[in-house]
Amino acid sequence: YQRRVRGFSRTEMPAKRMIGLCLMLLSLSLVPTSAKIAKLSVDQDSRRLFAIESFSFYAGGVHQMEVSNVGLKKPTENAGFLLMRQNQAALDVIDESSSDSSACLWKLRDAPHNKEQILASYPLQDGPMGPTTLKEDGECRVYFVNCRNSQNPVSFDVDLVQYNVDASGNRNYVSAGEEHLDMVFGFMSVLWLVCAVVWIKQVLGNRGYAKAIHHMMSALVCLKLLSVFFQAVKFHLMNTDGTAHAWANVYYAFTFMKGILMFTVILLIGTGWSLFKPFLTEKDKRIVAVVIPLQICTNVAYIYVDENMRGSPGWLTWRDLLHLLDIACCCAILFPIVWSIKQLREAAATDDQAQRDVERLRLFRQFYIMVVAYIYFTRIVVYLMGATLPYGCLLYTSPSPRDS
């Protein structure tokens, strides 16, 4: 069993190969989309001011919407929609107008210091609004303002259409800079197909030491391949039609399975299951029982955030919950790693045979450090960069961090 093969023992060699493939498996990309043919329904909403949706325009881009089913306790001229730039000056204006004690932004929309940030305004009434053609590049956001929010809650449906026009006159219904993402994800799906073929060939060609965890990783790489492929399909349809139709559900299904399986695989590797021991301890089982439900909740939150407009009630809560649950999963998978290292060190102190296990575990510890660095970079650093970089330096990030 310990026969040497090309400089490694039969137990060490698959571990090295497994680590190399795992690093590829962890390049995940749950990505929020910006398709802009969308609908928002608001029912008896008493919010004073809230964002409906954002979109990045090229010069010549078009914004239009149609409002229907407006419901008010009494008619008002103190409510409407604002199309505003998305920059620090505009955010300062929004912050100053958000509290009930401040002056209402709808009443001050024609003030000189506000007019620079407000590109268009539309009163709350049934009917089409726009189209408004943007004269310069930039990110914009649609807001709804209700100056009498507590006294006069509102209901309405809004159909939002936003798009850019390319040199050929074709409409692109995704934000500026995202129109080629369907080709990017299509190319990535081909790379994942190559990874899947190479990995499965290695596993089948080395059945003598292939463990159950290796077959789980085969399933994981296949799920990742399918999720990236259908993400490319989703982007292509959103770019051309403004909606992904039923293909979005296929994408979410594979992403859901991939996210759960990925964290399960990392967790099981951390416990040493299948590689060093054929069972899970009670502590291991408790961690698995925590991580899998967390991942289920994370994926549910991701689907809600990705499928609903920013102005939907509870959208911000679901978005924050998504980040919180995803980071909790990342923290949970560290515990089995620490326990495994501790157990092997204690064994090495009393058993010379266990010293080889400690040396071998150092390789896995390096892998875990890389995994942790990757996870926290994609879920914290990239998120913060995307939230702070100005237009022109925009970073394509996940709502979640989602496509983990």
Side-chain angles (χ1 to χ4, degrees), residues 102-124:
S102 62
C104 182
L105 181 58
W106 181 254
K107 295 179 179 179
L108 300 176
R109 63 187 184 280
D110 293 325
H113 65 285
N114 290 337
K115 231 176 170 184
E116 296 180 2
Q117 308 303 328
I118 299 174
L119 302 175
S121 60
Y122 315 98
L124 179 62

Side-chain angles (χ1 to χ4, degrees), residues 25-196:
L25 295 178
L26 288 166
S27 49
L28 306 170
S29 55
L30 259 190
V31 202
T33 56
S34 302
K36 285 304 176 291
I37 291 182
K39 183 172 184 175
L40 174 67
S41 295
V42 172
D43 183 35
Q44 293 299 302
D45 198 302
S46 59
R47 287 177 288 179
R48 179 184 178 88
L49 184 153
F50 62 89
I52 292 179
E53 195 56 285
S54 299
F55 193 79
S56 295
F57 290 96
Y58 291 121
V62 176
H63 162 84
Q64 64 187 60
M65 51 188 194
E66 183 169 353
V67 178
S68 59
N69 300 322
V70 173
L72 290 166
K73 287 185 177 179
K74 53 185 178 180
T76 180
E77 296 180 354
N78 295 315
F81 302 89
L82 299 175
L83 177 64
M84 299 185 63
R85 303 181 191 276
Q86 183 65 10
N87 53 35
Q88 189 56 52
L91 292 176
D92 291 340
V93 171
I94 294 298
D95 290 340
E96 293 172 2
S97 307
S98 296
S99 66
D100 290 336
S101 60
S102 62
C104 182
L105 181 58
W106 181 254
K107 295 179 179 179
L108 300 176
R109 63 187 184 280
D110 293 325
H113 65 285
N114 290 337
K115 231 176 170 184
E116 296 180 2
Q117 308 303 328
I118 299 174
L119 302 175
S121 60
Y122 315 98
L124 179 62
Q125 61 186 25
D126 289 329
M129 300 180 182
T132 300
T133 301
L134 281 295
K135 297 180 180 179
E136 57 185 35
D137 297 353
E139 184 180 8
C140 300
R141 182 172 289 178
V142 183
Y143 291 90
F144 176 74
V145 187
N146 182 9
C147 297
R148 302 285 181 85
N149 55 309
S150 58
Q151 305 169 11
N152 199 12
V154 301
S155 301
F156 60 82
D157 295 331
V158 56
D159 292 291
L160 184 67
V161 179
Q162 294 172 308
Y163 57 88
N164 291 300
V165 182
D166 62 19
S168 303
N170 298 317
R171 295 181 178 184
N172 295 323
Y173 289 97
V174 295
S175 283
E178 298 180 4
E179 60 269 23
H180 300 300
L181 282 177
D182 54 349
M183 292 185 289
V184 172
F185 284 111
F187 176 72
M188 290 301 298
S189 67
V190 174
L191 294 183
W192 278 107
L193 176 61
V194 174
C195 292

